[in-house]
Amino acid sequence: QVQFVESGGGLVQPGGSLRLFCAASGRIIFGFSPMGWYRQASGKQRELVAFITGSGTTSYADSVKGRFTISRDNAKSTVALQMNSLRPEDTAVYYCNFASGSPNYWGQGTQVTVSS
């Protein structure tokens, strides 16, 4: 019914930047759906790092505030996450989903590794 596909991850040095992308497809009225970026580090639970409403209002976890920026393009049904000043503790698999974290729509995620 709905699928989210993440891309843009990779290996980056501390202090570097990456931009992640999420493409939504299927039966979804994308522009009306609050969207979120989540991450899950090895051995830890998945956490919400940022979300954005259909109209563009954003919110961030304290751990990423000031460093990450979430955005969306409703015409293209995409969500992006600009990550700056990356730290080793940002290493995780990053996922996009509805901001509520629907258990039905987790994708494969994209791996972000911050290491020197």
Side-chain angles (χ1 to χ4, degrees):
Q1 184 177 32
V2 177
Q3 183 177 6
F4 300 117
V5 179
E6 302 91 345
S7 63
L11 175 64
V12 64
Q13 295 184 20
S17 298
L18 282 174
R19 187 170 176 85
L20 307 183
F21 299 91
C22 170
S25 63
R27 183 162 288 182
I28 177 175
I29 305 177
F30 184 82
F32 294 152
S33 302
M35 296 295 300
W37 278 99
Y38 294 76
R39 68 186 181 188
Q40 186 168 29
S42 295
K44 298 183 178 180
Q45 66 181 12
R46 186 149 36 205
E47 63 174 336
L48 178 66
V49 300
F51 71 85
I52 183 168
T53 68
S55 61
T57 300
T58 60
S59 186
Y60 301 90
D62 288 342
S63 59
V64 308
K65 192 172 298 182
R67 300 187 298 120
F68 291 11
T69 303
I70 187 171
S71 61
R72 68 191 296 160
D73 186 336
N74 290 337
K76 297 180 179 179
S77 296
T78 58
V79 188
L81 185 68
Q82 179 67 46
M83 305 186 295
N84 299 324
S85 302
L86 284 162
R87 305 165 180 169
E89 52 264 43
D90 294 319
T91 296
V93 178
Y94 284 71
Y95 304 86
C96 68
N97 200 340
F98 297 113
S100 61
S102 173
N104 298 313
Y105 302 122
W106 297 112
Q108 66 176 356
T110 186
Q111 176 71 50
V112 172
T113 302
V114 185
S115 176
S116 60

